[in-house]
Amino acid sequence: MSQRELPSSFTPDLVEALLYEKWVKAGYFTAEAKSDKPPFSIVIPPPNVTGILHIGTALDHTIQDILIRMKRMKGFNALWLPGTDHAGIATQNVVEKQLATEGLSRHDLGREEFIKRVWQWKSESSGAILKQMRRFGDSVDWTRERFTMDKGLSRAVLTIFKRLYDAELIYRAERIINWCPRCMTALSDIEVDHSDDAGELVSIRYGEGGDAIVVATTRAETMLGDTAVAVHPGDARYAHLVGKSILLPLVNREIPIIADEHVDPEFGTGAVKVTPAHDPNDFEIGQRHSLASIVVLSPEAFVTGTGTEFDGLDRFEARKAVVEALRKQGRIVAEKRPYIHAVGHCQRCETTVEPRLSKQWFVKVAPLAKAAGDAVRDGRVKIEPESLAPRYFEWVDNMHDWCISRQLWWGHQIPVWYGPNGEVVVTGPDEKAPDGYVQDPDVLDTWFSSALWPFSTLGWPGSTEDLKTFYPTSVLVTAYDILFFWVVRMMLFGLFAMDGIPPFHVIVLHGLVRDKFGKKMSRSKGNAIDPLELMDVYGADAIRFTLARGANPGADQALAEEWIAGSRNFGTKLWNATRFAIMNGATVEGELPTFDSLNAIDRWILSRLSETVKEVDQLFETYEFARACDVIYHFAWDELCDWYLELSKEAFASGTAHDSKRVLGFVLDQLLRLMHPIMPFITEELWTALTGGESIVIAEWPKSIPSHHDTDGEKLILQVQDVITEVRRFRNDQGIKSSQRIPGRFHAPKEFARYESAMRFVLRIDHPEEGLFTPSKTLELGSFKIEMDLSQAIDHVAERARLSKDLVAAKKDRETAIVKLSNEGFMAKAPDNVVIEIRERLAKTDSYIERITVQLAKLPLA
RNA sequence: GGGUGCUUAGCUCAGUGGUAGAGCGCCUCGUUUACACCGAGGAUGUCGGGGGUUCGAAACCCUCAGCGCCCA
């Protein structure tokens, strides 16, 4: 245990990597499978293997690391489990693009070779994000790193699939699904992004004369697959036509006119074309009326099988061609262009999604979602902040069945085998399908495996020690925009697989990181902030502190580079303060002196520290990271650096600071611990230098000390601060340089005598030489009187202005107080302490006004 | 269309009934035993508009206006 001198500045790029390796090597981040310590666990939202650390991830990780590091210091068996997600579509796209540069498609390689190629890609070029997490300081347990395609996790996938299937919660059906014609796969609802696009709305007349009906559509080409026209049953305009049929133009097919409650008679003409194979609503109508579903688009979205001239056209070409053909027949009644309407796009490639009839596997979510909703409703799972809970319910209560099959190769292949006579066998782990059976070629939605993450990573379906110790996990931290993709799904599967025990106790939701004007970051706008570049410049700690400081519960935060610079400056401030403390003999050796034996400056800082510890601890525990950072920032910068160190300098210089050295050592030691979860690197460097300890990572978390709470000490120092500030203000207004020493005399109550030298030191006011003192200015401040001999003349004009301003402010304060005290309602109903406070305020302003008035009267007019 | 937020200093945001706050920016001064990535001092707000509840409202209620997000 020995102290170390600090270099003049902190160099994050040189230090951070070394510290991180030291921590990993020491095993600080490795959780114990079995332990007497209480468990605290978080599973990381697994980033895509293709991913890099972006600013949102940085925020997410900062919050998780704060919680984990704090709990570790509190003596918990803390586990932060890292890993990555195989990200089916995204990863497959990356490798397919790579193949394309070689002029190959995945079909050229074949399924097996292609998958090999993806694994090869993963082993070579994935893991960028894992390296970046090390740079960022994430205290994750690398010995437990997982990947959704690992053997263990794949086993979990097979297990749950079979269980769900056996419970009749997985089924296969022909449904309208979102189809991406570029990725050539089905997508779930949440993989589709809607945007308002400019399209066209054309109104088409079907039929002739009095029996004609006009329908409107934005996708004219789908009319080739119409199998009915529907109207509302109560719509008198069409009552005479219901039950009859009408000739579908271009195709010349007789289609029925049907009545269905679903049709909105107010919208458009009140009649709609029905294309069951290409629209989800039409599909429902088709089901109710036993209509045929005619697929008119190929998987690539080319018109096919209609027997018309349009076969072979791409959907957008066909749209134009169909409208033209109808126009020639005089059937286009109206056209609206542009027509702004919501259009779905593939989240991964932005291609316009095509609703398409297709045979897919689904999870029946109703019973699972009910359980997921109840777990939050009955308080077993808490959502923080609570205000976001309605968003959770909105989803869980209205969830559609989940399409889980994807027409991809990269992922968990669906464990369903088809026999030669249409038999269907689902294989669990260690099970084999009979010979001659063929496996379903599709793979599962990536979210299917990520939904198992909180327990598959801990060894489920095995009954492992990790699972017993760490499930359910303590908190789940993620941005609110992923609540539905992931959190809801983990709830569904966790409750199902783990016998009704939800996967986490608390869901902590944070917001998104935006640019400095609160606008969404995007590459195209050029306002994206790259945490990796910023880490090079400012270090990881500065980014972490900035993000934590902006993390108000559930709310988005704006971010600007200059604010990160500000956080870096804060680190530097702390660095210099600690360096100064070490140079002046601050120590952590020996017992802290008895509290009552200390001077008020020391008692005050200890009292403030104790309060700060209490507040920060509570704020961390309630996920109020922004406020916690604010409290730390002000304690460290304002109270410790600007006041305590300044007031103590005289004692350090004069060698009378024996107790203060120990107090300062203690305060810094505790403050660094308190800050460590947010700024792990610089606090480690400073703490080990100051204390000679092994590592702050494993240091004990600070405790608030009630006996250090010292109202009198705080009051006294508050007065000292007021006096100093007033004298500084006077000097400033008078244009007296702060380095200019002034002779002066202090007249103050006894209890301040002990602090006169400290105040003189800060204010540069010297004892006057015997017999030579002729005070030219007297400042009266509360019970203080300071006489000064100003070598230069006072600027009376400036002084009059200063005092007049104070007088106005004081009179206003007095007025407010009087109004309240003379208000009968206030006197009768306001609580006693408030009344007392206002009375005191009045007395204070009264005497203040009197003093200023006297001083003003004494001032010469010129 | 349904839901849900937001509107406070130049900018970004805290502040859930008792004299309006922070960071950044701005102005003045400044090499004093750490720190110019600094210090000291200062300026800046009818808390979106209107109404109500209350002794007392930025905060609670109603209403209007503007902006945002989610879902359809």
Side-chain angles (χ1 to χ4, degrees):
Chain A
M1 295 275 281
S2 68
Q3 222 170 43
R4 189 175 79 228
E5 273 197 26
L6 287 166
S8 62
S9 65
F10 180 54
T11 43
D13 46 330
L14 297 181
V15 175
E16 291 179 346
L18 294 176
L19 290 179
Y20 195 85
E21 287 317 308
K22 164 188 150 185
W23 295 333
V24 172
K25 227 179 246 172
Y28 298 150
F29 305 158
T30 309
E32 298 161 41
K34 261 187 132 165
S35 168
D36 296 334
K37 298 176 183 175
F40 182 86
S41 55
I42 298 178
V43 289
I44 211 163
N48 292 353
V49 280
T50 56
I52 54 160
L53 187 81
H54 57 77
I55 195 74
T57 328
L59 168 63
D60 193 53
H61 288 202
T62 298
I63 292 174
Q64 291 173 65
D65 206 26
I66 289 174
L67 293 172
I68 282 285
R69 284 182 184 266
M70 172 181 69
K71 291 292 182 176
R72 190 181 291 124
M73 292 173 80
K74 281 188 173 183
F76 282 76
N77 180 21
L79 167 63
W80 188 14
L81 190 146
T84 45
D85 188 300
H86 67 277
I89 298 181
T91 310
Q92 179 160 327
N93 282 353
V94 167
V95 178
E96 281 191 293
K97 266 185 199 154
Q98 201 184 48
L99 284 176
T101 64
E102 302 164 28
L104 294 172
S105 81
R106 65 176 151 124
H107 300 283
D108 294 329
L109 293 186
R111 184 168 190 143
E112 207 173 312
E113 272 307 305
F114 178 77
I115 291 174
K116 257 192 207 164
R117 183 79 184 243
V118 181
W119 276 106
Q120 188 195 333
W121 175 86
K122 186 204 170 249
S123 69
E124 283 166 8
S125 38
S126 85
I129 192 157
L130 302 174
K131 287 197 198 89
Q132 291 155 0
M133 284 165 59
R134 290 168 180 264
R135 267 190 80 191
F136 202 59
D138 290 357
S139 68
V140 296
D141 184 348
W142 292 109
T143 68
R144 286 177 167 84
E145 186 193 332
R146 299 287 186 268
F147 176 55
T148 46
M149 295 266 285
D150 281 349
K151 277 210 179 90
L153 277 72
S154 301
R155 204 178 160 80
V157 168
L158 294 179
T159 305
I160 192 134
F161 189 98
K162 188 163 169 65
R163 280 204 204 166
L164 285 165
Y165 184 84
D166 291 345
E168 294 180 358
L169 292 171
I170 282 184
Y171 64 93
R172 193 181 192 215
E174 281 221 315
R175 288 288 162 83
I176 297 280
I177 44 87
N178 305 296
W179 179 266
C180 175
R182 200 216 62 87
C183 298
M184 295 282 283
T185 180
L187 303 171
S188 70
D189 291 343
I190 55 172
E191 288 167 305
V192 176
D193 290 333
H194 293 271
S195 60
D196 282 337
D197 293 0
E200 59 180 13
L201 184 69
V202 295
S203 299
I204 309 167
R205 177 173 51 82
Y206 288 4
E208 306 296 340
D211 290 350
I213 291 185
V214 174
V215 295
T217 179
T218 55
R219 295 189 296 150
E221 72 282 7
T222 61
M223 61 86 62
L224 302 171
D226 283 3
T227 52
V229 168
V231 299
H232 191 269
D235 196 330
R237 291 171 293 179
Y238 302 109
H240 65 291
L241 294 173
V242 173
K244 295 186 177 169
S245 66
I246 198 162
L247 192 67
L248 182 64
L250 305 180
V251 189
N252 296 324
R253 180 165 63 229
E254 288 281 342
I255 56 174
I257 297 164
I258 58 174
D260 192 283
E261 291 283 345
H262 175 85
V263 179
D264 178 4
E266 304 292 321
F267 186 79
T269 58
V272 297
K273 60 193 274 305
V274 182
T275 324
H278 292 283
D279 181 279
N281 294 325
D282 294 4
F283 180 78
E284 300 283 322
I285 297 176
Q287 293 288 94
R288 286 195 286 274
H289 299 272
S290 309
L291 301 173
S293 296
I294 301 175
V295 174
V296 296
L297 288 173
S298 70
E300 296 85 358
F302 285 84
V303 175
T304 182
T306 65
T308 64
E309 59 187 285
F310 308 105
D311 278 5
L313 289 180
D314 164 78
R315 55 184 162 161
F316 300 115
E317 295 167 2
R319 188 166 302 166
K320 285 184 200 152
V322 165
V323 172
E324 275 318 304
L326 289 166
R327 195 193 314 281
K328 273 186 198 149
Q329 294 189 7
R331 294 188 174 276
I332 301 298
V333 178
E335 290 171 88
K336 198 172 171 191
R337 223 176 262 112
Y339 179 73
I340 307 296
H341 64 127
V343 177
H345 298 270
C346 173
Q347 196 179 55
R348 296 290 170 199
C349 72
E350 292 177 16
T351 302
T352 301
V353 162
E354 196 62 37
R356 187 164 189 275
L357 187 65
S358 164
K359 200 168 202 181
Q360 303 286 348
W361 287 95
F362 293 87
V363 171
K364 185 175 170 185
V365 296
L368 299 169
K370 166 101 174 49
D374 288 347
V376 174
R377 270 188 200 98
D378 64 22
R380 278 178 295 150
V381 176
K382 275 183 68 182
I383 292 180
E384 292 280 354
E386 220 180 324
S387 59
L388 288 178
R391 289 188 119 164
Y392 174 84
F393 292 126
E394 191 189 320
W395 258 83
V396 162
D397 296 343
N398 303 303
M399 217 170 158
H400 296 152
D401 280 0
W402 170 17
C403 176
I404 51 170
S405 40
R406 296 290 179 276
Q407 288 65 52
L408 304 172
W409 287 352
W410 175 241
H412 300 101
Q413 194 168 350
I414 291 179
V416 176
W417 299 72
Y418 305 106
N421 304 310
E423 301 94 329
V424 175
V425 171
V426 174
T427 53
D430 308 322
E431 288 176 4
K432 277 188 100 173
D435 284 346
Y437 278 49
V438 178
Q439 187 169 11
D440 193 300
D442 291 352
V443 300
L444 289 164
D445 180 7
T446 304
W447 297 103
F448 190 93
S449 51
S450 3
L452 312 173
W453 190 250
F455 46 98
S456 64
T457 52
L458 295 173
W460 188 89
S463 165
T464 60
E465 289 296 338
D466 272 6
L467 194 64
K468 282 182 216 157
T469 304
F470 297 112
Y471 190 94
T473 61
S474 308
V475 296
L476 181 93
V477 179
T478 192
Y480 61 72
D481 66 341
I482 213 154
L483 188 59
F484 320 124
F485 288 87
W486 188 45
V487 180
V488 168
R489 278 149 221 270
M490 285 191 288
M491 289 289 286
L492 301 182
F493 281 6
L495 288 160
F496 177 79
M498 301 302 290
D499 303 318
I501 300 172
F504 15 75
H505 294 296
V506 185
I507 299 166
V508 175
L509 295 170
H510 60 254
L512 313 177
V513 181
R514 297 170 170 273
D515 79 0
K516 67 182 291 193
F517 300 112
K519 299 286 172 221
K520 206 169 174 174
M521 283 188 198
S522 72
R523 248 174 260 146
S524 54
K525 265 193 267 178
N527 64 346
I529 289 179
D530 178 5
L532 302 169
E533 282 173 26
L534 292 170
M535 247 193 286
D536 289 339
V537 182
Y538 301 104
D541 287 334
I543 299 174
R544 293 170 60 119
F545 188 81
T546 309
L547 291 170
R549 194 177 190 183
N552 287 116
D556 291 351
Q557 65 169 297
L559 182 70
E561 181 167 345
E562 54 260 47
W563 304 343
I564 295 171
S567 299
R568 183 269 323 265
N569 296 354
F570 179 46
T572 308
K573 186 76 185 171
L574 208 69
W575 180 272
N576 285 310
T578 308
R579 199 161 60 97
F580 174 79
I582 292 174
M583 287 186 317
N584 279 281
T587 180
V588 296
E589 301 291 334
E591 290 289 307
L592 204 58
T594 328
F595 189 73
D596 293 332
S597 72
L598 294 169
N599 69 45
I601 301 170
D602 287 332
R603 292 203 312 272
W604 167 77
I605 198 67
L606 287 174
S607 184
R608 295 301 312 139
L609 172 71
S610 187
E611 178 63 21
T612 302
V613 167
K614 190 171 134 193
E615 284 179 26
V616 170
D617 179 70
Q618 209 208 328
L619 290 167
F620 275 165
E621 290 286 358
T622 51
Y623 317 106
E624 293 264 15
F625 303 102
R627 287 172 66 187
C629 288
D630 221 49
V631 170
I632 288 175
Y633 186 89
H634 285 111
F635 174 76
W637 201 314
D638 300 346
E639 301 192 301
L640 181 61
C641 291
D642 288 348
W643 285 108
Y644 179 79
L645 289 182
E646 292 305 321
L647 286 172
S648 302
K649 270 180 183 171
E650 189 270 338
F652 282 126
S654 64
T656 57
H658 179 74
D659 284 353
S660 299
K661 288 177 184 172
R662 183 64 190 90
V663 169
L664 177 55
F666 177 77
V667 172
L668 272 175
D669 169 17
Q670 297 285 296
L671 172 63
L672 290 168
R673 293 180 198 218
L674 204 59
M675 293 179 62
H676 176 256
I678 315 172
M679 304 179 102
F681 294 110
I682 197 168
T683 51
E684 171 78 334
E685 196 69 355
L686 291 173
W687 190 83
T688 51
L690 174 74
T691 68
E694 178 188 323
S695 173
I696 197 172
V697 176
I698 50 168
E700 207 177 304
W701 185 247
K703 284 194 183 83
S704 171
I705 303 172
S707 64
H708 283 187
H709 181 65
D710 182 10
T711 321
D712 292 344
E714 293 206 19
K715 255 191 189 155
L716 193 140
I717 297 302
L718 194 66
Q719 288 181 67
V720 168
Q721 291 175 330
D722 282 349
V723 170
I724 290 176
T725 302
E726 278 309 305
V727 175
R728 281 172 171 167
R729 216 183 122 204
F730 170 75
R731 292 180 58 131
N732 223 295
D733 290 346
Q734 288 293 321
I736 303 166
K737 287 188 181 178
S738 44
S739 53
Q740 166 86 49
R741 309 198 72 89
I742 296 172
R745 247 185 223 142
F746 278 55
H747 305 276
K750 264 190 260 149
E751 64 264 33
F752 292 97
R754 196 172 168 185
Y755 310 107
E756 188 178 318
S757 53
M759 294 174 77
R760 283 179 176 280
F761 180 86
V762 170
L763 290 169
R764 320 282 141 184
I765 294 179
D766 293 332
H767 285 284
E769 282 181 52
E770 207 56 44
L772 287 176
F773 186 63
T774 42
S776 56
K777 173 69 191 176
T778 305
L779 281 180
E780 283 189 73
L781 310 145
S783 46
F784 261 86
K785 199 156 98 180
I786 298 180
E787 295 174 306
M788 286 171 286
D789 177 2
L790 297 164
S791 48
Q792 65 205 86
I794 292 182
D795 181 343
H796 295 302
V797 176
E799 184 59 1
R800 179 172 291 279
R802 190 175 77 93
L803 290 173
S804 303
K805 205 170 109 193
D806 282 358
L807 188 63
V808 170
K811 278 183 173 167
K812 200 182 142 206
D813 280 357
R814 182 167 175 273
E815 208 43 48
T816 323
I818 289 174
V819 166
K820 288 203 171 185
L821 292 172
S822 55
N823 180 330
E824 278 175 35
F826 174 80
M827 294 309 285
K829 294 189 180 175
D832 288 348
N833 62 322
V834 174
V835 176
I836 291 169
E837 197 191 309
I838 305 278
R839 278 214 181 100
E840 280 174 358
R841 196 184 301 155
L842 179 63
K844 222 170 131 183
T845 49
D846 268 342
S847 68
Y848 193 44
I849 286 169
E850 201 185 312
R851 279 207 319 274
I852 299 176
T853 310
V854 170
Q855 286 182 43
L856 267 173
K858 279 198 237 164
L859 267 185
L861 285 171

